[in-house]
Amino acid sequence: MVHNVTAATRLLDVLTLFAGDPRIQTVFTCPGSSAFTRGTEEFLAARGIPLLPWPEAIRTKFDWALAASYGGDLHELRAPLTVVPHGMGYNKFLETGNRKPETGNRKPETGNRKPETGNRSSGFPSLG
């Protein structure tokens, strides 16, 4: 399951573990659920990897499915599913609203973030 280019690179890394195993046939599909799908088909095509259309993928029974994201209608797959993390933003919630740094309480001075605020001692007696 390839959701975007980041997920594709992770899956290609993982698939090297199975390279050369004649029992494994690799098929790629894209559920089209990621906000970052642009460039995914081109990325795979540049590596000679064709995509099975999603509607065909969910009609086909597979022995196993591997994804690097939980996005989309993965429950429609007819296969046991393994999901691997694909990087630093894994499981991060994608907000679709205003993402400007000054929105809401994102300013550094908001709240009690100054080092002198509150009791930040280690709880150990001072040696000095």
Side-chain angles (χ1 to χ4, degrees):
M1 222 65 54
V2 181
H3 291 85
N4 52 51
V5 173
T6 303
T9 59
R10 177 63 174 144
L11 290 173
L12 291 174
D13 288 343
V14 171
L15 287 175
T16 61
L17 299 171
F18 305 101
D21 189 332
R23 300 170 298 170
I24 298 190
Q25 175 190 13
T26 305
V27 178
F28 288 79
T29 189
C30 183
S33 61
S34 174
F36 308 105
T37 56
R38 187 171 53 167
T40 304
E41 286 187 40
E42 294 82 359
F43 176 83
L44 294 171
R47 285 149 183 82
I49 301 171
L51 280 174
L52 181 67
W54 181 249
E56 189 175 338
I58 60 175
R59 287 192 308 267
T60 305
K61 185 175 180 182
F62 295 98
D63 293 323
W64 181 51
L66 178 65
S69 175
Y70 283 104
D73 294 325
L74 299 181
H75 65 278
E76 293 183 10
L77 290 169
R78 298 178 62 205
L81 176 66
T82 300
V83 180
V84 295
H86 68 267
M88 294 297 292
Y90 182 67
N91 285 339
K92 182 176 169 183
F93 178 72
L94 176 64
E95 294 182 30
T96 57
N98 185 349
R99 300 283 293 162
K100 293 181 181 177
E102 67 272 9
T103 301
N105 290 330
R106 293 183 173 203
K107 294 181 181 178
E109 65 272 37
T110 301
N112 294 325
R113 292 186 170 182
K114 295 179 182 171
E116 65 273 6
T117 303
N119 182 0
R120 294 182 182 231
S121 69
S122 65
F124 296 103
S126 174
L127 299 176

